[in-house]
Amino acid sequence: MAEDLNWAVGGEAGDGIDSTGKIFAQALSRAGRHVFTSKDFASRIRGGYTAYKIRTSVDRVQSVVDRLDILVALTQRTIDENLDELHEESAIIYDGERSWEADIPDEMTAVDVPLKSLAEDAGGAIMRNIVALGAACEITNFDVEYLDEALEKRFGGKGSKIVENNKEAARLGQQYVQENYDLDLDYDLDTTDEDYVLLNGNEAIGMGALAAGCRFYAGYPITPATSIMEYLTGRIEDYGGHVVQAEDELSAINMALGAARSGARAMTATSGAGIDLMTETFGLVAQSETPLVITDVQRSGPSTGMPTKQEQGDLNMALYGGHGEIPRFVVTPTSIAECFWKTIEAFNLAEKYQIPVFLVSDLAMSVTEQTFRPETFDMDEVEIDRGKLVDEDEVDEWLDAQGRFRAHAVTEDGVSPRAIPGTTDGAHMSTGLEHDELGRRTEDEDERVQQVDKRYRKVETAEEQEDWDYREFGDSDADNLVISWGSNEGALREALEYLEEDDIDLRVISVPYIFPRPDLSDEIEAADEVIVVECNATGQFADLLEHDALTRLKRINKYTGVRFKADELAEQITDKLSAEVPAQ
Amino acid sequence: MSSDVRFTDFKSDKQPTWCPGCGDFGTMNGMMKALAETGNDPDNTFVVAGIGCSGKIGTYMHSYALHGVHGRALPVGQGVKMARPDIEVMVAGGDGDGYSIGAGHFVHAVRRNVDMTYVVMDNRIYGLTKGQASPTSRSDFETSTTPEGPKQPPVNPLALALASGASFIAQSFSSDALRHQEIVQEAIEHDGFGFVNVFSPCVTFNDVDTYDYFRDNLVDLQEDEDHDPNDYEAAKEVILDSDKEYQGVMYKDENSVPYHEKHGVTEDMSEIPEGAPDDAMDLVREFY
């Protein structure tokens, strides 16, 4: 066993749990091992239980499971919180010198390491987590040099002294276990020659934005979207761009709107309550046909809900939010790699169709780090399509008899020409009011109908011209079909392996587009049983699919605030397959 | 930018639907003249407006323009200017738009000191919704929603700007055409956020703050040789003087450093490569 190792560090918020976990994850990644991380955290700065979990394997891992092999517990609560995931072979590293006496079940291996005093020997108590990492390396026979590399990356900027102290702390932890324990655990971590990159969904969105030519970002801090802004800050400037922390979400989206209207590729990102605030201006963005990417990193709602917990509850908001009827595209990446590619696609769609694009991610994806081959993000593959942006010469084709630019010209494909400020003869106004081809207010019945039709014709054009496809895996001939959107894909892929052991075959469809979306009617009709998996209580995506296919579907909904785990999902799918279809 | 631009080039062929005699006519004319006089033309100018009678201005002017939602014109204008430092940005708002729903944005736009001009058409009433109290209405001003007056003191927009760290604060009167134009012009030429509160009387719903009232009561700071707009203390005194109505430039920070200079936001952001930037794989390698 032990190729697939589940490791965690837990303690109080403020204990440096996050950076400790990240350092170990990076060390594993440097060793050519796959990594998938997850976080338990509370909505507070200091205190309160927090944990960083790593699943690692030589094979690709893309989900969390209900098992914990090595636990670095800085508090008793860390042990209590994870008791149901610990098992007989689990090892728990703790500091017996601290004020609490660890209450560890007898069957597990308790590894008492004087973390604090060893850290002090190395140069400071703050490094006790690094001592623990050294101990963890020893327990898993993991070459501590990989840890050294991660420490260099992490602390290199702070000077060689800090780096050396940290390396020493790790060595002391390693030696202590070597000298004081004769462990009979089978946790040998193999390494490979693979070079991986390790990043989370929000970093992938930020990187995608830069690759796509995003130059302006305005946002207001909110969990879990803020790290997109943090990523762009300090990097976007290298490309001549700028990040503004606005006074609120209303301002953020309006600033982004202004930048977009002046020709920049612009984005804002928020979550939960922030999307509500942006909804006012969302209507203006759509009505004025401004290309804008609005990212919603979903968290658990409603209102302030559970800000640090997972949910996919904003689908209806993205689809229907705002008064009146107005088209928008809703793109929903299903993996961290897709967070990158779909962000680029979102910018292209926004400009090609002059329409707001909701890029809908979720908390689980945003805080999860995962390993990828660098070529997964091959920048040579990035294509930029700015749509019908007209220059000085092309403007002439779009002037009316009086020489006025028809910025909202009624065209066959529904997309009008777009002139940005500075373009001679392109001056025009745009408004949230219903308008004529020139962008001027109108209440004329014919013009109203023409403009509404024009805006929806863009959607028809996009449906024809773009590939609104889904991803499929599992057994394409299987009788039973599971459909999912968002971050559940990884857990589903792994759940398939568990189900195969029980001879259950499934066809799985993962959908990265909510609007427009692929028509799954045929797939649904062809299947004996259809189950829709999503992290919300009511099954918002299932509702849509039922509507499309006019049939009742089974649903698996999780709304505890925690993402799906592969083994848990496999079990639920098995149960669901034998259950009755819900009554009409 | 052509040198032969006339202010009428900024006029659209749409006839304003403002009430005959509305102060907004004069306010807008002064804005157009000031833009032309400072060497701008419609193709390098972006006008942003909010909601209300003032919000209609984008329709009656000819330039790149956005007519936005209530109270949010300032953020739009800042976004335009940050992305396109080469574009002249003028934001028009009303007293309700700017000092009520948009008051938060006003404070922050002022403190960012983005190089743009903000003209507020202050008629001390909500006109388009037919005569309710506005943030600048007098505390005893009787309206349909405040039959006994708002019973709260009016906002002093100039003081709000001063307290927020404004680098240019001025006030004008729409029917004093030349002075109004000069003041807006000075705001455009100011390096930073040029704020002008314009008395722009509502002839339909406000029978207190009328043309006659302003004509009789307005004190022009230009005629007060003692007033030095670069003197913060003098500006404070004038701005906090609730007994008089002033026009002119109250305050001007000669050392104003506009946002784009302070933060190095000087590139035209509308131009991007046709694919990912040349060194984009470096972004990936950061995650090794």
Side-chain angles (χ1 to χ4, degrees), chain A residues 73 123 172 405-406 422 473 488 537 539:
Chain A
L172 293 178
F405 181 65
R406 291 157 57 224
F473 48 94
N488 316 313

Side-chain angles (χ1 to χ4, degrees), chain B:
Chain B
M1 212 180 300
S2 55
S3 55
D4 55 351
V5 174
R6 291 166 50 82
F7 91 91
T8 47
D9 292 341
F10 283 98
K11 238 181 181 155
S12 83
D13 50 11
K14 199 95 170 168
Q15 285 305 307
T17 55
W18 289 322
C19 303
C22 175
D24 291 351
F25 286 99
T27 309
M28 181 173 75
N29 278 335
M31 289 164 66
M32 294 191 292
K33 285 178 180 166
L35 280 166
E37 207 57 41
T38 47
N40 294 290
D41 68 34
D43 288 327
N44 85 322
T45 303
F46 202 115
V47 174
V48 191
I51 295 292
C53 294
S54 65
K56 297 180 169 188
I57 198 161
T59 316
Y60 310 143
M61 286 177 66
H62 174 63
S63 73
Y64 283 90
L66 184 93
H67 174 221
V69 290
H70 201 26
R72 323 269 173 240
L74 280 173
V76 175
Q78 292 168 81
V80 172
K81 189 68 190 182
M82 288 183 201
R84 294 293 301 277
D86 56 318
I87 296 299
E88 186 67 41
V89 177
M90 186 170 274
V91 176
D95 40 319
D97 189 67
Y99 309 142
S100 203
I101 187 164
H105 301 311
F106 177 55
V107 167
H108 294 279
V110 165
R111 63 187 270 260
R112 276 188 203 102
N113 202 28
V114 175
D115 188 17
M116 53 197 250
T117 307
Y118 182 38
V119 176
V120 178
M121 304 168 175
D122 183 1
N123 57 15
R124 299 179 172 175
I125 193 154
Y126 285 131
L128 205 54
T129 48
K130 299 187 190 297
Q132 297 79 31
S134 95
T136 49
S137 294
R138 295 156 191 256
S139 62
D140 59 354
F141 186 60
E142 295 169 14
T143 74
S144 63
T145 51
T146 57
E148 293 167 30
K151 294 182 182 169
Q152 49 195 330
V155 164
N156 178 343
L158 309 177
L160 191 56
L162 191 75
S164 308
S167 63
F168 184 98
I169 305 171
Q171 192 152 260
S172 64
F173 175 35
S174 71
S175 88
D176 192 346
L178 190 60
R179 283 292 288 134
H180 165 59
Q181 181 198 327
E182 282 170 2
I183 291 165
V184 175
Q185 225 166 290
E186 203 172 331
I188 293 172
E189 282 163 350
H190 172 68
D191 283 337
F193 189 81
F195 165 53
V196 186
N197 190 65
V198 188
F199 294 129
S200 190
C202 174
V203 292
T204 307
F205 294 108
N206 193 332
D207 54 8
V208 180
D209 299 295
T210 59
Y211 286 104
D212 284 344
Y213 164 76
F214 286 113
R215 268 185 210 116
D216 293 346
N217 290 282
L218 209 56
V219 177
D220 196 325
L221 289 169
Q222 206 175 33
E223 285 152 26
D224 178 358
E225 285 173 6
D226 289 341
H227 184 73
D228 173 8
N230 303 320
D231 180 346
Y232 186 84
E233 290 303 321
K236 200 161 79 180
E237 203 169 300
V238 173
I239 285 169
L240 295 178
D241 178 2
S242 53
D243 295 335
K244 285 186 189 138
E245 309 275 11
Y246 292 94
Q247 78 168 342
V249 179
M250 275 87 194
Y251 180 64
K252 187 173 171 179
D253 179 2
E254 292 284 290
N255 301 315
S256 163
V257 180
Y259 187 92
H260 66 275
E261 271 181 33
K262 205 167 179 176
H263 299 280
V265 187
T266 53
E267 302 225 13
D268 175 350
M269 296 182 193
S270 67
E271 287 180 20
I272 58 165
E274 283 173 13
D278 292 339
D279 57 351
M281 275 317 278
D282 289 350
L283 293 168
V284 182
R285 288 186 198 104
E286 253 188 73
F287 293 106
Y288 269 126

Side-chain angles (χ1 to χ4, degrees), chain A residues 134-286:
Chain A
C137 286
E138 178 59 24
I139 293 172
T140 53
N141 281 318
F142 182 64
D143 192 339
V144 81
E145 280 184 16
Y146 294 112
L147 185 58
D148 288 347
E149 282 183 41
L151 291 170
E152 278 163 20
K153 183 179 165 93
R154 178 81 186 187
F155 298 113
K158 295 185 175 177
S160 56
K161 177 82 178 146
I162 304 276
V163 174
E164 289 312 313
N165 286 354
N166 275 283
K167 286 182 182 175
E168 173 67 8
R171 289 290 182 290
L172 293 178
Q174 186 191 26
Q175 278 167 17
Y176 186 88
V177 176
Q178 235 167 37
E179 289 162 9
N180 295 279
Y181 287 89
D182 183 18
L183 296 172
D184 185 23
L185 291 165
D186 188 16
Y187 289 127
D188 293 339
L189 294 185
D190 290 343
T191 59
T192 76
D193 292 333
E194 294 288 346
D195 274 330
Y196 293 127
V197 289
L198 180 74
L199 73 170
N200 67 36
N202 278 1
E203 288 165 336
I205 287 174
M207 195 166 77
L210 292 181
C214 174
R215 291 288 179 270
F216 186 84
Y217 179 98
Y220 185 77
I222 185 168
T223 302
T226 313
S227 55
I228 296 174
M229 178 155 65
E230 288 170 338
Y231 174 83
L232 289 172
T233 304
R235 288 182 180 83
I236 204 169
E237 290 84 356
D238 296 342
Y239 303 96
H242 189 60
V243 169
V244 192
Q245 180 174 320
E247 57 271 25
D248 53 36
E249 284 89 348
L250 298 151
S251 179
I253 189 172
N254 276 283
M255 283 185 178
L257 161 68
R261 286 223 69 86
S262 65
R265 283 197 156 189
M267 176 166 88
T268 183
T270 187
S271 180
I275 277 289
D276 290 353
L277 294 179
M278 288 186 181
T279 304
E280 175 194 49
T281 299
F282 168 77
L284 170 64
V285 174

